[in-house]
Amino acid sequence: MIGNMSAVVVGADRLGNIPVLLKDHNIEIKQHISGREPSHQKKTYQLPTGTQMVILLTDFLGHNVMKSFRSAAQKAGVPVVACRRSLCSMQQALTQSGFRCVDCPQRKAGKCD
């Protein structure tokens, strides 16, 4: 992957080490939305211009908010990665979606792909 992919992360109040993991995959967080605001519960949300991916942290997100952001991603034609807010879950979801770590030791040893 050349350059950084721009992502909107939805869910959770804090991201912890997730930004570091995403950076290893050449994914830059364009915007983080907690999903707690009442307006997120009721309105249809539009993604910021230039968004190339939506990441949903499912254990910190209500169904209506998730549905709204999935719909916005579908309209924008961008992929959605849904996982729990843990590094293991995020790593697994990214790998299953085809977003592989750029500098991981397994990739350098030729064990990935």
Side-chain angles (χ1 to χ4, degrees):
M1 185 183 319
I2 299 172
N4 283 345
M5 179 172 260
S6 177
V8 171
V9 178
V10 184
D13 291 330
R14 291 173 300 222
L15 296 178
N17 289 328
I18 288 175
V20 175
L21 176 67
L22 294 176
K23 185 177 179 184
D24 289 343
H25 287 78
N26 277 342
I27 299 171
E28 176 185 342
I29 298 174
K30 182 176 189 98
Q31 185 175 7
H32 171 230
I33 301 163
S34 72
R36 285 184 180 251
E37 292 181 32
S39 64
H40 292 149
Q41 302 288 329
K42 298 175 184 170
K43 74 174 191 173
T44 303
Y45 195 81
Q46 284 190 297
L47 299 175
T49 305
T51 300
Q52 297 171 301
M53 168 193 273
V54 174
I55 299 171
L56 301 174
L57 303 176
T58 59
D59 50 348
F60 290 91
L61 210 50
H63 291 284
N64 290 336
V65 177
M66 221 179 311
K67 183 178 174 182
S68 177
F69 280 95
R70 278 190 187 273
S71 177
Q74 185 178 17
K75 287 178 186 174
V78 300
V80 175
V81 174
C83 61
R84 293 184 321 268
R85 188 191 149 250
S86 76
L87 290 180
C88 278
S89 181
M90 176 75 68
Q91 177 69 52
Q92 185 176 26
L94 290 171
T95 300
Q96 288 175 349
S97 299
F99 299 98
R100 304 219 184 268
C101 181
V102 176
D103 295 322
C104 76
Q106 287 188 355
R107 183 177 200 86
K108 289 179 180 178
K111 294 179 183 177
C112 287
D113 299 330

